[in-house]
Amino acid sequence: MSLKSKFIGALIGSAIGDALGAPLEGNSMEEVNFGGDWKMISGRYTDDTEMMIGVAESLIENRGFNGADMAVKFIQNYHARRGYGPGSKEALRRIRGGESWEDASGKLFGGKGSYGNGAAMRIAPVGIFYYDNADKLREIAYKSSHVTHSHELGKEGAALQAFSIALAVQGTEKEAMLHDLKEFVKNVIYKEKLRKIEALLAEEADKKAIVFELGNGQEAFNSVPTAIYSFLRFDSFKDAVVYAISLGGDTDTIGAMTGAISGAYYGEGAIPVEWVERLEEGKKGRSYIKWLGEELYRVKFFND
Ligand SMILES: [Mg+2]
């Protein structure tokens, strides 16, 4: 499979997971499991994709990371109706008010910064662009998180999600992937979650156990591992993303993160066409998102 297809797959996959999960956000696992067929209801994406677009645009225009510009992209793309989290909203409000991107996010939550999944949910462009350099990937994942999410757990969640996408681009065997992720991650909370993923995969655990052990919430450590698990457990884009959303909770973000890893692994062609066609079009819709994937590929390999 071509690398270009994986680059596009990661971005489109992320947007698809977001749009598919969006109507169910905040419902419990029991409420989400209605037993019906999984259809894309509106095809509208949320803040996850809107911010992912900003990350991609900024990496392309700057041929790499530029924090001040990335913050500007987030502010320019912002539409309140996309449902932004409180951390991102407040950080962007401060930056718009004149604070630097280095300082703004650190003032949130009593000076601790946010450990929500708002940085991990948008990280797909970083995961593909730096897929072949783990140190650089970690550095840029942390920095791009810092624009809105400065807590160590928020940054580490974004780096872990980015590295999962990178391994998927590389086509790493799933068994080896868990090992590589354990080597990569530095924080003990995430190390423990990765150990749990391994145990839960071995026993084919039920959904209740997954939600209990890995989480389905808005904290990065209660959603990034859940997305990784959903990807590892199944053999197709569709099965992984449907499963991730069926766990309830922060469905759009867990769907987006599972979709990003799965799209990077299986490529654009493995994403169900009926979902892609339902994904919203327009100025920054599915064609534009696909183009961003192509551009990231072009800038990385041809740099013209
Ligand atoms: Mg969202």
Side-chain angles (χ1 to χ4, degrees), residues 18 25 46-48 82-83 121 250 252-253:
D18 175 19
E25 185 182 7
T46 75
D47 57 330
D48 303 49
R82 300 280 189 189
M121 73 185 189
D250 198 1
D252 58 326
T253 294

Side-chain angles (χ1 to χ4, degrees), residues 110-123:
K112 293 195 170 76
S114 174
Y115 51 69
N117 53 24
M121 73 185 189
R122 66 181 187 233
I123 205 73

Side-chain angles (χ1 to χ4, degrees), residues 177-235:
M177 206 179 268
L178 211 43
H179 170 266
D180 291 355
L181 290 171
K182 276 194 261 180
E183 297 272 291
F184 175 82
V185 86
K186 291 183 169 167
N187 180 279
V188 290
I189 290 177
Y190 287 99
K191 278 190 188 293
E192 180 57 27
K193 289 274 187 171
L194 290 168
R195 269 196 293 273
K196 281 183 178 174
I197 289 175
E198 195 164 28
L200 291 163
L201 283 170
E203 67 184 54
E204 291 212 12
D206 64 19
K207 286 180 186 174
K208 241 189 192 140
I210 301 306
V211 172
F212 181 77
E213 298 285 353
L214 302 180
N216 65 357
Q218 295 180 338
E219 305 83 4
F221 50 88
N222 282 328
S223 50
V224 173
T226 314
I228 294 169
Y229 174 85
S230 299
F231 161 70
L232 289 173
R233 177 161 169 172
F234 298 93
D235 294 319

Side-chain angles (χ1 to χ4, degrees), residues 16 24 50 66 91-92 101 145 182 189 247 268 274 302:
I16 294 276
L24 300 163
E50 196 157 79
N66 176 330
L92 296 180
W101 72 273
S145 300
K182 276 194 261 180
I189 290 177
L247 295 171
E268 183 197 8
E274 64 271 24
F302 302 100

Side-chain angles (χ1 to χ4, degrees), residues 119-147:
M121 73 185 189
R122 66 181 187 233
I123 205 73
V126 174
I128 58 178
F129 198 67
Y130 299 103
Y131 84 95
D132 53 356
N133 185 337
D135 291 336
K136 191 78 179 162
L137 174 141
R138 184 196 306 278
E139 179 201 331
I140 304 305
Y142 285 174
K143 283 182 177 166
S144 72
S145 300
H146 189 86
V147 180

